[in-house]
Amino acid sequence: MDPALLHARSALDWLLELGADEAIGEMPVNRYELTAKAAAPAAAAAPLAAPVLARPADPVTVAQELAAEARDLPALAQAMEAFDCELKPGARRFVFADGTAGAPLMVVGEAPGRDEDIQGKPFVGAAGQLLDRMLSAIGRDRADPDPARSAYITNVLPWRPPGNRRPETPEIDRWRPFLRRHVELAAPRVVLVLGNSPAMALLNRAGITQIRGQWAEAVGRPALPSFHPSYLLRNPPAKREAWADLLSLLARLRPPS
């Protein structure tokens, strides 16, 4: 036998003994080179994809869901007090509402101030005392248990902003679903909107000096925007326009003859 063929036959027999009994490719593969690549540092490997983290829930969406689940005013108050809010840690007390639920008049202000934060009721400071006199001028008293002669009072925000500042737009957006549900559950005939923040929350309008006295609709009910009592304390001449608004409100509240 040709020595070259004999050598090739011996090499083949040796490969068979080693277990290389199948030819996969036409070109030889250096397995030692593959082993070296596998042992290369992990830094040389392709970077792993970053883990996909769950996005935090949108607070407005959460507020909408919680507000929709509230079937009465106590349930709404409980949901609002438990709702996560950056203002909550800096406030003393949760301020929900005052007056008589079921009254034909619902008054919506901006946010609690220092006195409201202490007592846990809306409109109890100097602005609240002026509001009481304004309501008394049209035959309303929040302390009257008879809904026909009372009023129901709340704010856009249930927590006091730092330094008694005005509510910011993201805060109004966050609490708007609760406020709208509050109006639905209180079911007033008329809503008195005091100041820019409730006008933004309920009417999607700002510029209270331009829109005051103009009847609109909030949550399917007649709504009258007017000056906030704190503005009237700083600008007494504006009480003339506020009185005109109260007379318009009184006319709307009177039962049809």
Side-chain angles (χ1 to χ4, degrees):
M1 180 180 290
D2 189 316
L5 293 177
L6 181 61
H7 177 73
R9 177 62 182 273
S10 298
L12 181 58
D13 292 339
W14 178 70
L15 290 173
L16 291 173
E17 291 179 2
L18 294 177
D21 57 356
E22 183 177 3
I24 299 177
E26 295 182 357
M27 300 298 295
V29 177
N30 187 342
R31 302 295 176 183
Y32 294 102
E33 183 180 0
L34 293 178
T35 304
K37 288 183 179 181
L48 297 176
V52 178
L53 300 178
R55 296 181 61 184
D58 175 40
V60 176
T61 302
V62 174
Q64 291 172 341
E65 295 173 351
L66 293 175
E69 292 173 358
R71 293 292 175 257
D72 52 34
L73 290 173
L76 180 66
Q78 184 178 5
M80 291 174 62
E81 189 170 9
F83 182 63
D84 186 26
C85 177
E86 295 178 353
L87 299 175
K88 187 175 180 179
R92 295 184 183 182
R93 299 188 64 180
F94 172 71
V95 181
F96 181 64
D98 193 22
T100 305
L105 173 61
M106 182 172 183
V107 181
V108 181
E110 294 188 336
R114 176 183 176 276
D115 296 313
E116 291 78 11
D117 189 38
I118 294 174
Q119 298 189 37
K121 293 182 179 181
F123 283 99
V124 294
Q129 295 170 15
L130 176 55
L131 175 62
D132 287 339
R133 294 196 297 271
M134 294 167 63
L135 294 176
S136 178
I138 60 171
R140 301 284 159 175
D141 183 356
R142 73 165 94 182
D144 196 319
D146 184 356
R149 297 189 300 268
S150 186
Y152 186 69
I153 304 173
T154 190
N155 283 313
V156 176
L157 304 186
W159 303 103
R160 179 193 182 192
N164 287 358
R165 63 164 173 77
R166 290 182 177 179
E168 298 175 350
T169 300
E171 295 167 345
I172 296 174
D173 293 340
R174 178 175 296 191
W175 289 99
R176 180 184 287 112
F178 289 113
L179 178 59
R180 294 182 63 86
R181 185 60 176 155
H182 203 157
V183 175
E184 291 175 348
L185 293 173
R189 283 175 40 211
V190 178
V191 181
L192 179 60
V193 180
L194 297 179
N196 274 314
S197 297
M200 283 293 298
L202 292 175
L203 308 177
N204 292 318
R205 298 182 65 185
I208 196 65
T209 56
Q210 285 76 40
I211 67 174
R212 57 135 295 270
Q214 302 175 24
W215 283 95
E217 184 177 287
V219 198
R221 291 165 174 80
L224 181 65
S226 188
F227 294 125
H228 194 281
S230 61
Y231 175 82
L232 298 177
L233 291 174
R234 299 191 304 269
N235 302 274
K239 292 181 180 179
R240 179 178 180 179
E241 288 82 2
W243 175 242
D245 295 341
L246 288 176
L247 293 178
S248 178
L249 180 67
L250 178 60
R252 186 64 68 98
L253 284 170
R254 284 173 178 161
S257 56

